[in-house]
Amino acid sequence: MMRKWSSSKHLLWLFLWLPFVVQCQEVNDYDQIDNPSVLPLVTQLVYSRLSNLTSLLSQEITTHSTFCVKDPDADWNQAFNFSSDLSFLASCIKKTKGDVTRRLCTAAEVKFYLSSLLERSTSANYLKPNKNCNLTSWFAGCEPGWACSVPSSQKVDLRNSKEIPARTSNCQPCCEGFFCPHGITCMIPCPLGSYCPLAKLNKATGVCEPYLYQLPPMQPNHSCGGANVWADVSSSSEMFCSAGSYCPTTTKTVPCSSGHYCRMGSTSEKRCFRLTSCSSNTATQNMHAYGIMLIAALSTLLLIIYNCSDQVLTTKERRMAKSREAAARNARSTATARQRWKFAKDAAKKGAIGLQAQLSRKFSRRREETNLETVVVLDQATSETDVELLEHSQPTTSSSAQLKEKGKESSGFKQIIHEIEDDPHVEANFNVKMETRTKNVPRGKQLHTHSQIFNYAYAQLEKEKAQQHENKALTFSGVIKMATNTEKRKRPLIEISFKDLTLTLKAQNKPILRCVTGKIKPGRITAVMGPSGAGKTTFLSALAGKAFGCFASGSILINGRNESIHSFKKIIGFVPQDDVVHGNLTVEENLWFSAQCRLSADLSKPEKVLVLERVIEFLGLQSVRNSLVGTVEKRGISGGQRKRVNVGLEMVMEPSLLILDEPTSGLDSASSQLLLRALRREALEGVNICMVVHQPSYALFKMFDDLILLGKGGLTVYHGPAKRVEEYFLGLGIDIPERINPPDYFIDILEGIVKPGGSSGVRYKELPVRWMLHNGYPIPHDMQQSAEQYDSSISINSAIEANGYDHEDKTFAGDLWHDVRNNVELQGEKIRLNFLKSKDLSNRRTPGIFKQYKYFLIRVGKQRLREARIQAIDYLILLLAGACLGTLTKSSDQTFGAAGYTYTVIAVSLLCKIAALRSFSLDKLHYWRESDSGMSSLAYFLSKDTIDQFNTVIKPVVYLSMFYFFTNPRSSFADNYVVLLCLVYCVTGIAYALAIIFEPGAAQLWSVLLPVVLTLIATQPKDSKILKGIANLCYSKWALQAFVVANAERYQGVWLLTRCGSLMKSGYNLHDWNLCISILILMGVIGRATAFFCMVTFQKK
């Protein structure tokens, strides 16, 4: 700080002294100064010598790298370039009779003045004692507004910066255009933008106006002098050219004319913009009309963007719906025509065969009559074929002719049949466009338009329906033909087997799954049932590789090999218990997005559309395909339909293993059966389906292939075909009462609500032991006693020990340390899983990050368009904030609008952070589900950030349209917009991190506190390096500095001292505007990088 003060003093000393460092004693040699023709020549001579020092001044300023001067030449011209009007200098030469150079301050006096001015913290009206003005020596020139001359016998060296000359003779008032400080006996020229006339005494107050000093007491001959001080605007505002007027010279003031405005310290008037109101003597132009016009234009633009975009989407959806409906009608009519043709073909075929048989019988009777004595068949009936063979062997001429005639007739009917079966023009008459593809081109590759794609998809669907209808009565040859059909895509099969699978909670050392052995097979639907707390969801999580915080033992094999389940995640679908579906997208948009991102990249678009249409058809979602799913606040489709969409998100990616957690919960019987029928179709294609169900109806229960029944404690009670579970329990002596649903009865038994019926005497706690004995599985140590009463030959398996509670007494500190350690281990386990790169064994190449980014971008764009009302509220709040702050906080010339900009940083940061929280805090569950399925986290994050850049660009305009035109600062609209743009970008990145790290409530609280706290830290005096270092980490410090610097740069001339003093006090540098912008952008990038890292590391579940 001391170094900056020293630099500032040296700089100001250069500005005030160097322009006048010239030896001008030769001016006294002119004895005709009063001559009007000689005075201008003398004035030009003096000023030309002063102007020659401009280059020296620029070099000195550049050498010292001052913090408050950006362009030395420009600042010199704007402060001390008097070439346009030298009347004040000529007047002073004439008034002092050529003695002006002996009255100018030397370098030492200017340095003394500036040192006293900058080191003093109270007032600029008094200087420290010096050689000429002290307690023992006080001349009239020491009074404010007066100056003295150096004796003629003493040589004056204006370059002398070490010694103040004795200046005590010929004291008189200061010249106009100069100021003479109190406590020093020399003159300093006033800078441009100031008004320095001679003062006049106000006899009523005793004050020399327009200045604020008084005449010295007890000196009746002393009169008011000239200006007395030049400092910052708070200390010497009377010296500044008043607002509403402009001062072309330091001795002349002109009122501002109508249609122009003049700010304080102006040297010329500025023309007002069109549509602004500027009366005479006005300081600023009223630009409210421009703010209103900007808001109107921006609102119109936003309305056009949102409405047109929404209209484009609506029109596109309507056209696609029409194409889809036309394709569906065409496919249905084609299927109906094909069915009719098939019936007609079968009828014609049967008629032809019947006619052929009738003719054959007729000719056979004739042959029997003519050749009865020749044909002898041992009293057995002769078949038509035998007769034909025998007649072929007869050499008689008549029989040969008859056979030829019969062969013609028979071959004619056979030809009719073959023509019916092989007519090449039949399919063409049905206008099925899918049949036009060539053999060398894969299916759907050459289809481009929506009509072609939908025609292809619905034709395939109708063909599949017909095939399913035919499959109900397949012969053995038909089964072989269906199995060897290479045209149909086959999914890879996944079989999961597990042995002695045991999971124990680390925190409580409590088993939640014990000794579970079995397998789930492809092409079958396996139901997992059991009472609450039986570990059903935990069992599914273990199969899916999502069981965290547990000690796991046993083995899980994939297709008989010890592979990680994560290696197959591209072909594994996991349906969570909660309906994690985007509520602001339609049913079709949800399913289509999942299909685009998760189906094979080698699959053509028509094939993907076919998969989508197949799933929508099977799940019965045709009627709501274009309806929004809906949220808690906005009603959408029904709960059952939402549940089916939740399942469809996994079905549409054609999985090989489909795991569902309670998909039928909350559904009625009809919806549950519809869902199960859709899953049954998936199972027919070889999909391995495992699902948790709660108390299904008997009709639903009969649709399951296998059943895993778990008891309390995670022990297996039954695992096998669902149709044999009643037989198994009957073997245990447990009868199912009449009119009781078997699944409900089993659950009631395992809950302990109902005692097992019959004469078995088996308790529900013994059922897991009976299952182990039934299959010959090893018995855990703690269950040996229960097993011995059923089989006395049981041997203790020491390898399997009990996993119970740890009853060891621990202290509070021990329990606390145990919990902390478990939490750390749990987080570490999640982090390892997130960064674990398993070998991909799924043989499916999904779209890359750039394609997924495109798909995410389209989805997020649609979501934002449907949230237009929320966006409009955000813009309205920003608009009101700008209007309120712009009205209440006027731009202060003393601090260059720092107060208003401080409130701006707080308000914009707070509002933009809270709005940016919605981007990630509301979609956490969706992200966890999509990332677990293999979708790109980077594409997801970048798409959100890309769409949010629209708000980043628009929000500064909305705020400034009110704030800027109400405060009317000197900085340009573009400068303010760039700073605010970078500020919004910065705080948006920070909001991303807050939204991902914290829960929504805590994130909102941090979003409110951070702008206030960081801005308070940034505006505090930097008395220590630690506080300064902390302030440099606050984004608000750099934003505020960029605002102030951009505004301060527009203050020139008389404002030079005010600018340097204010920037020095704040610790700002005029050269750091680009640095501030760069740091704001860098902080925004760091915030986004932190948010992305936390998203993929800590929040993935």
Side-chain angles (χ1 to χ4, degrees):
M1 180 61 71
M2 292 302 297
R3 182 180 300 174
K4 187 166 286 190
W5 275 74
S6 176
S7 175
S8 176
K9 288 186 290 184
H10 187 79
L11 169 67
L12 297 176
W13 169 66
L14 287 170
F15 259 115
L16 297 176
W17 172 70
L18 283 175
F20 306 100
V21 180
V22 63
Q23 299 298 330
C24 296
Q25 281 83 355
E26 63 271 19
V27 176
N28 293 326
D29 298 336
Y30 293 95
D31 55 358
Q32 296 181 356
I33 291 179
D34 293 332
N35 190 337
S37 60
V38 176
L39 183 59
L41 298 176
V42 175
T43 304
Q44 287 293 337
L45 176 62
V46 173
Y47 184 72
S48 63
R49 294 178 180 178
L50 296 176
S51 299
N52 289 334
L53 298 176
T54 302
S55 58
L56 176 62
L57 177 63
S58 300
Q59 293 175 4
E60 291 292 334
I61 294 175
T62 304
T63 302
H64 289 83
S65 301
T66 55
F67 64 93
C68 59
V69 176
K70 192 172 184 180
D71 187 348
D73 293 333
D75 281 322
W76 156 253
N77 289 324
Q78 291 161 356
F80 299 108
N81 188 356
F82 306 111
S83 59
S84 60
D85 191 344
L86 297 177
S87 58
F88 80 99
L89 184 58
S91 177
C92 188
I93 293 174
K94 185 175 180 180
K95 179 180 179 180
T96 58
K97 298 182 180 180
D99 195 27
V100 61
T101 55
R102 294 183 174 274
R103 296 179 179 274
L104 291 176
C105 292
T106 63
E109 289 171 308
V110 171
K111 187 176 180 180
F112 170 76
Y113 170 73
L114 293 177
S115 300
S116 301
L117 180 66
L118 294 176
E119 292 176 3
R120 191 171 53 251
S121 59
T122 55
S123 174
N125 295 323
Y126 300 94
L127 300 179
K128 296 185 297 183
N130 54 78
K131 180 177 181 180
N132 297 318
C133 303
N134 50 60
L135 294 178
T136 60
S137 174
W138 192 268
F139 298 93
C142 297
E143 296 296 334
W146 277 59
C148 299
S149 177
V150 176
S152 57
S153 59
Q154 183 178 351
K155 185 178 180 180
V156 178
D157 184 6
L158 297 181
R159 297 178 182 271
N160 188 351
S161 61
K162 296 181 179 180
E163 183 179 0
I164 296 177
R167 194 189 303 272
T168 58
S169 62
N170 194 16
C171 297
Q172 60 182 5
C174 197
C175 294
E176 286 186 312
F178 292 83
F179 70 97
C180 301
H182 187 194
I184 194 171
T185 60
C186 60
M187 298 190 309
I188 302 176
C190 295
L192 292 173
S194 62
Y195 180 54
C196 302
L198 291 176
K200 295 181 179 181
L201 179 63
N202 187 333
K203 296 182 179 180
T205 60
V207 174
C208 294
E209 295 179 349
Y211 314 109
L212 302 179
Y213 61 88
Q214 294 179 334
L215 296 177
M218 307 302 293
Q219 295 185 19
N221 296 328
H222 195 88
S223 61
C224 292
N228 64 318
V229 64
W230 175 42
D232 60 278
V233 68
S234 60
S235 301
S236 59
S237 60
E238 65 277 5
M239 183 180 174
F240 285 66
C241 190
S242 61
S245 302
Y246 67 97
C247 301
T249 65
T250 56
T251 59
K252 182 181 180 182
T253 180
V254 181
C256 213
S257 61
S258 179
H260 297 79
Y261 70 98
C262 302
R263 297 180 184 270
M264 189 177 190
S266 298
T267 59
S268 63
E269 59 181 0
K270 293 184 178 180
R271 182 177 296 277
C272 295
F273 297 146
R274 293 183 178 180
L275 303 179
T276 58
S277 58
C278 289
S279 57
S280 58
N281 299 328
T282 185
T284 57
Q285 53 182 339
N286 186 350
M287 296 194 297
H288 297 173
Y290 281 92
I292 296 173
M293 291 172 58
L294 182 59
I295 283 296
L298 186 62
S299 301
T300 304
L301 178 62
L302 293 176
L303 286 174
I304 292 174
I305 292 175
Y306 282 111
N307 288 339
C308 288
S309 301
D310 186 58
Q311 190 64 38
V312 168
L313 291 177
T314 304
T315 304
K316 184 178 180 181
E317 291 174 357
R318 189 185 304 115
R319 290 176 61 86
M320 289 181 64
K322 289 182 179 180
S323 300
R324 189 187 304 110
E325 292 172 1
R329 287 194 302 269
N330 188 20
R332 284 193 295 268
S333 61
T334 301
T336 303
R338 184 184 289 113
Q339 192 69 22
R340 291 176 179 175
W341 172 253
K342 183 178 180 182
F343 290 154
K345 185 173 67 174
D346 292 341
K349 190 175 181 180
K350 288 180 181 179
I353 292 174
L355 182 58
Q356 181 184 7
Q358 183 178 0
L359 292 175
S360 297
R361 286 194 299 270
K362 181 177 180 181
F363 284 109
S364 296
R365 284 195 298 270
R366 290 181 180 178
R367 284 194 297 270
E368 289 173 0
E369 292 175 357
T370 56
N371 302 315
L372 184 61
E373 67 279 0
T374 317
V375 181
V376 179
V377 192
L378 298 176
D379 297 335
Q380 295 181 3
T382 306
S383 66
E384 298 173 5
T385 307
D386 294 336
V387 172
E388 290 180 7
L389 291 174
L390 287 171
E391 291 187 357
H392 273 289
S393 64
Q394 300 298 326
T396 58
T397 307
S398 61
S399 60
S400 299
Q402 290 174 356
L403 283 176
K404 287 180 180 179
E405 184 180 354
K406 180 259 176 187
K408 286 183 178 181
E409 296 288 341
S410 177
S411 62
F413 288 116
K414 289 181 180 179
Q415 184 178 359
I416 292 173
I417 295 173
H418 290 309
E419 287 178 357
I420 292 174
E421 291 178 347
D422 303 328
D423 187 359
H425 301 290
V426 170
E427 296 298 329
N429 293 332
F430 297 141
N431 192 24
V432 182
K433 295 184 180 179
M434 54 160 288
E435 297 294 340
T436 60
R437 61 181 184 271
T438 60
K439 294 181 180 180
N440 297 328
V441 182
R443 293 191 299 175
K445 285 288 185 180
Q446 75 283 3
L447 305 179
H448 301 290
T449 66
H450 292 300
S451 299
Q452 292 175 334
I453 292 173
F454 288 136
N455 282 330
Y456 167 74
Y458 280 99
Q460 287 294 106
L461 284 177
E462 294 297 334
K463 188 176 179 181
E464 290 174 2
K465 289 179 183 178
Q467 186 67 37
Q468 290 175 2
H469 182 72
E470 293 176 0
N471 291 344
K472 292 181 179 180
L474 278 180
T475 61
F476 179 75
S477 60
V479 174
I480 297 299
K481 181 180 178 181
M482 184 177 66
T484 58
N485 183 13
T486 58
E487 188 175 328
K488 188 174 182 179
R489 290 196 319 274
K490 298 184 182 299
R491 306 185 193 182
L493 303 181
I494 292 182
E495 180 185 84
I496 299 182
S497 58
F498 38 91
K499 183 177 181 182
D500 292 332
L501 182 60
T502 301
L503 295 178
T504 305
L505 286 176
K506 292 181 180 180
Q508 303 175 5
N509 196 25
K510 176 184 177 181
I512 52 178
L513 207 65
R514 295 187 64 186
C515 305
V516 180
T517 301
K519 65 173 60 176
I520 55 176
K521 303 175 183 178
R524 300 178 69 84
I525 299 179
T526 303
V528 181
M529 296 175 57
S532 299
K536 303 181 294 298
T537 301
T538 303
F539 172 69
L540 293 187
S541 299
L543 295 184
K546 299 181 181 182
F548 300 113
C550 300
F551 293 110
S553 61
S555 62
I556 299 179
L557 302 180
I558 313 296
N559 293 333
R561 295 180 295 179
N562 188 15
E563 302 285 356
S564 172
I565 192 68
H566 300 288
S567 299
F568 301 88
K569 67 179 180 179
K570 290 184 179 180
I571 55 174
I572 294 178
F574 186 90
V575 180
Q577 182 175 353
D578 299 322
D579 300 332
V580 184
V581 185
H582 290 280
N584 48 10
L585 294 177
T586 64
V587 172
E588 183 178 358
E589 287 168 351
N590 273 288
L591 298 177
W592 178 239
F593 173 79
S594 182
Q596 283 182 306
C597 291
R598 301 176 65 183
L599 284 173
S600 174
D602 301 326
L603 208 60
S604 63
K605 184 177 179 180
E607 292 294 335
K608 292 181 180 179
V609 172
L610 173 60
V611 174
L612 172 68
E613 296 297 332
R614 184 187 296 128
V615 171
I616 291 178
E617 181 77 20
F618 289 167
L619 290 175
L621 298 172
Q622 282 284 8
S623 59
V624 295
R625 65 183 303 154
N626 293 323
S627 301
L628 292 177
V629 173
T631 59
V632 178
E633 297 85 4
K634 189 175 182 179
R635 176 73 176 171
I637 60 178
S638 66
Q641 292 166 339
R642 185 184 181 95
K643 179 72 71 175
R644 278 178 273 162
V645 175
N646 188 33
V647 177
L649 289 177
E650 304 302 324
M651 290 177 57
V652 81
M653 50 84 66
E654 293 193 332
S656 296
L657 172 63
L658 185 57
I659 301 174
L660 305 96
D661 190 6
E662 301 185 19
T664 60
S665 296
L667 299 183
D668 55 17
S669 179
S671 299
S672 299
Q673 290 190 30
L674 180 63
L675 178 60
L676 259 294
R677 281 196 293 269
L679 294 176
R680 171 59 61 189
R681 293 187 182 96
E682 291 290 301
L684 290 176
E685 296 187 13
V687 180
N688 190 344
I689 300 175
C690 183
M691 57 190 297
V692 171
V693 290
H694 273 299
Q695 296 180 326
S697 64
Y698 189 68
L700 204 66
F701 179 73
K702 299 296 286 184
M703 299 177 72
F704 298 135
D705 297 312
D706 297 321
L707 174 66
I708 299 178
L709 200 57
L710 297 177
K712 288 190 175 181
L715 292 163
T716 307
V717 174
Y718 176 80
H719 179 21
K723 59 184 178 182
R724 295 183 182 176
V725 63
E726 299 180 33
E727 178 184 345
Y728 168 74
F729 278 98
L730 189 61
L732 298 179
I734 300 176
D735 296 331
I736 301 174
E738 295 183 359
R739 298 183 179 180
I740 296 296
N741 186 18
D744 294 343
Y745 188 67
F746 298 150
I747 299 299
D748 292 342
I749 291 176
L750 296 177
E751 282 279 9
I753 299 175
V754 177
K755 293 184 178 180
S759 58
S760 64
V762 179
R763 295 178 300 173
Y764 73 93
K765 293 183 179 180
E766 299 172 353
L767 291 176
V769 178
R770 297 297 298 268
W771 175 254
M772 295 178 185
L773 293 174
H774 177 75
N775 292 277
Y777 295 154
I779 310 297
H781 180 75
D782 60 324
M783 302 175 69
Q784 291 287 337
Q785 187 175 0
S786 299
E788 289 177 357
Q789 60 179 324
Y790 301 105
D791 191 349
S792 58
S793 62
I794 296 298
S795 60
I796 298 177
N797 190 345
S798 60
I800 303 178
E801 298 293 337
N803 288 315
Y805 291 99
D806 188 1
H807 296 288
E808 180 183 356
D809 293 334
K810 293 183 180 180
T811 62
F812 174 78
D815 288 338
L816 181 62
W817 168 249
H818 181 70
D819 293 340
V820 171
R821 186 182 63 184
N822 287 330
N823 288 331
V824 172
E825 291 178 354
L826 177 62
Q827 294 298 329
E829 190 175 346
K830 291 181 180 179
I831 293 174
R832 284 194 299 272
L833 177 63
N834 294 336
F835 289 96
L836 177 65
K837 296 296 182 182
S838 301
K839 181 173 62 174
D840 186 15
L841 301 176
S842 60
N843 295 326
R844 175 179 290 187
R845 186 178 65 88
T846 55
I849 183 173
F850 292 106
K851 277 197 173 182
Q852 290 194 38
Y853 171 72
K854 172 187 173 183
Y855 301 147
F856 273 110
L857 202 64
I858 295 173
R859 185 184 76 175
V860 178
K862 291 180 179 179
Q863 290 175 317
R864 291 291 187 272
L865 287 175
R866 292 185 177 124
E867 296 172 354
R869 181 175 299 179
I870 298 177
Q871 301 291 334
I873 293 175
D874 289 342
Y875 296 153
L876 180 61
I877 294 175
L878 267 176
L879 194 69
L880 294 176
C884 293
L885 293 180
T887 304
L888 298 176
T889 59
K890 297 298 182 181
S891 181
S892 172
D893 289 325
Q894 183 176 353
T895 59
F896 309 114
Y901 288 133
T902 301
Y903 296 135
T904 293
V905 171
I906 295 176
V908 173
S909 299
L910 191 150
L911 295 176
C912 292
K913 277 184 183 178
I914 292 179
L917 292 179
R918 293 193 298 266
S919 295
F920 289 95
S921 60
L922 300 180
D923 289 343
K924 286 184 179 180
L925 292 177
H926 303 88
Y927 165 71
W928 294 335
R929 178 176 183 176
E930 292 169 353
S931 61
D932 282 343
S933 65
M935 293 188 192
S936 172
S937 297
L938 183 60
Y940 169 81
F941 185 88
L942 290 179
S943 65
K944 290 268 190 180
D945 186 40
T946 302
I947 296 298
D948 281 346
Q949 297 309 316
F950 178 78
N951 286 331
T952 304
V953 173
I954 295 297
K955 285 185 176 180
V957 180
V958 174
Y959 180 82
L960 289 176
S961 63
M962 290 288 103
F963 179 81
Y964 182 84
F965 294 110
F966 272 101
T967 57
N968 199 6
R970 300 200 182 192
S971 55
S972 66
F973 185 90
D975 290 339
N976 285 267
Y977 175 76
V978 170
V979 177
L980 209 55
L981 178 72
C982 297
L983 174 62
V984 174
Y985 179 81
C986 174
V987 299
T988 302
I990 296 174
Y992 289 166
L994 295 177
I996 291 172
I997 296 173
F998 299 105
E999 294 298 322
Q1004 290 180 2
L1005 183 61
W1006 276 105
S1007 298
V1008 173
L1009 288 178
L1010 273 180
V1012 178
V1013 174
L1014 295 182
T1015 305
L1016 288 176
I1017 294 174
T1019 54
Q1020 292 298 312
K1022 317 309 187 289
D1023 297 330
S1024 64
K1025 291 184 177 180
I1026 297 178
L1027 188 60
K1028 184 178 180 180
I1030 296 175
N1032 287 335
L1033 298 177
C1034 301
Y1035 71 88
S1036 52
K1037 184 252 186 184
W1038 301 102
L1040 185 59
Q1041 180 175 350
F1043 276 124
V1044 172
V1045 166
N1047 202 23
E1049 189 178 353
R1050 304 303 178 101
Y1051 286 77
Q1052 300 101 7
V1054 70
W1055 293 99
L1056 183 61
L1057 284 181
T1058 304
R1059 184 172 75 187
C1060 292
S1062 180
L1063 293 180
M1064 183 177 60
K1065 182 179 179 180
S1066 303
Y1068 299 156
N1069 194 317
L1070 207 61
H1071 301 269
D1072 288 346
W1073 191 82
N1074 291 329
L1075 176 65
C1076 296
I1077 297 301
S1078 302
I1079 290 178
L1080 287 175
I1081 296 175
L1082 179 62
M1083 287 185 173
V1085 173
I1086 293 174
R1088 284 163 172 79
T1090 304
F1092 178 73
F1093 176 78
C1094 294
M1095 186 180 72
V1096 300
T1097 304
F1098 302 109
Q1099 295 296 322
K1100 200 173 182 180
K1101 295 186 180 181

